[in-house]
Amino acid sequence: GIQVEQSPPDLILQEGANSTLRCNFSDSVNNLQWFHQNPWGQLINLFYIPSGTKQNGRLSATTVATERYSLLYISSSQTTDSGVYFCVANAGGTSYGKLTFGQGTILTVHP
Amino acid sequence: DTAVSQTPKYLVTQMGNDKSIKCEQNLGHDTMYWYKQDSKKFLKIMFSYNNKELIINETVPNRFSPKSPDKAHLNLHINSLELGDSAVYFCASTKTGVYEQYFGPGTRLTVT
């Protein structure tokens, strides 16, 4: 199956700093999503981005499908950005294929 | 107007008991999933149903039995609970032809 690797595993920032999270995947994908799991355990869907670039407020994501990686940018970080960020991919031929999760990046933003 | 809901949110039970977790989605999706998140935060798929038919069944003990009474519901029944079953269980859904998956809030199961 597809392998999904995220880096860095941990990231500590001061409020206001910018950061980039990376996701490498081992096969071509038909689904690439970024999730934020907040300290209460909720999985929040940030982006569905199998290719191209999207922006939502202070967050943006870029997936270069041909080179098999995706980047999540967080600008002007806030303490509420703390949590675990997961990159998730599906390489199956059907839309109901299983998602494979990366191991996550633990982000801590200090005030 | 919750998209994917799960009940209960928390479940504390003793070893050997049988328990169920329910999932409902009001998005009109036809494919639903169960994922398990272990104590190290690693998430892995357990089951998937498409139009009430089982299509993905990862290596999960047969004490776990999913049931889909209709396209909007996917329940997870667990027999003879063990300590190792303690985890957070997430339900998700999608629509055939659309790849994005939507996740429920999770059910934290603690087996004592």
Side-chain angles (χ1 to χ4, degrees):
Chain A
I2 189 171
Q3 307 296 315
V4 179
E5 294 183 357
Q6 293 183 241
S7 59
D10 296 277
L11 188 56
I12 299 174
L13 299 174
Q14 208 65 29
E15 202 167 28
N18 302 328
S19 62
T20 301
L21 281 58
R22 186 177 178 102
C23 171
N24 293 329
F25 42 93
S26 61
D27 203 347
S28 56
V29 297
N30 53 34
N31 182 0
L32 192 293
Q33 291 181 247
W34 283 97
F35 287 90
H36 173 215
Q37 187 166 37
N38 64 22
W40 296 270
Q42 286 181 299
L43 277 172
I44 300 164
N45 193 348
L46 298 177
F47 295 102
Y48 166 69
I49 187 163
S51 64
T53 298
K54 289 185 178 179
Q55 180 153 9
N56 184 2
R58 297 181 295 104
L59 273 59
S60 64
T62 294
T63 297
V64 183
T66 53
E67 297 186 22
R68 299 183 182 170
Y69 73 88
S70 183
L71 302 174
L72 177 68
Y73 305 96
I74 304 174
S75 64
S76 304
S77 58
Q78 300 175 359
T79 56
T80 52
D81 295 331
S82 296
V84 185
Y85 289 79
F86 289 104
C87 172
V88 190
N90 171 22
T94 59
S95 63
Y96 46 76
K98 60 183 181 181
L99 288 181
T100 297
F101 279 73
Q103 77 276 25
T105 292
I106 301 173
L107 175 64
T108 304
V109 181
H110 291 302
Chain B
D1 59 347
T2 304
V4 183
S5 60
Q6 295 179 226
T7 53
K9 191 171 175 61
Y10 300 97
L11 184 53
V12 180
T13 187
Q14 291 184 326
M15 284 176 56
N17 285 349
D18 304 337
K19 291 293 179 185
S20 291
I21 306 171
K22 296 185 177 182
C23 177
E24 176 181 4
Q25 53 89 10
N26 61 5
L27 297 167
H29 292 169
D30 56 6
T31 305
M32 297 183 72
Y33 308 80
W34 280 110
Y35 290 84
K36 179 180 179 181
Q37 185 172 37
D38 62 24
S39 57
K40 296 184 179 179
K41 300 284 190 182
F42 184 66
L43 271 141
K44 190 176 179 190
I45 192 167
M46 300 173 68
F47 300 102
S48 174
Y49 270 74
N50 175 257
N51 284 316
K52 301 193 297 177
E53 287 192 31
L54 182 66
I55 53 170
I56 294 174
N57 184 353
E58 293 295 284
T59 307
V60 178
N62 56 16
R63 298 182 294 103
F64 290 78
S65 53
K67 284 188 173 52
S68 181
D70 55 56
K71 289 191 294 185
H73 296 84
L74 180 62
N75 303 323
L76 183 65
H77 188 75
I78 315 170
N79 290 326
S80 304
L81 278 155
E82 301 177 356
L83 293 175
D85 298 331
S86 296
V88 181
Y89 293 84
F90 286 94
C91 176
S93 71
T94 191
K95 187 175 178 61
T96 301
V98 178
Y99 295 93
E100 186 174 8
Q101 291 190 19
Y102 294 77
F103 280 74
T107 295
R108 182 175 294 276
L109 171 64
T110 303
V111 182
T112 61

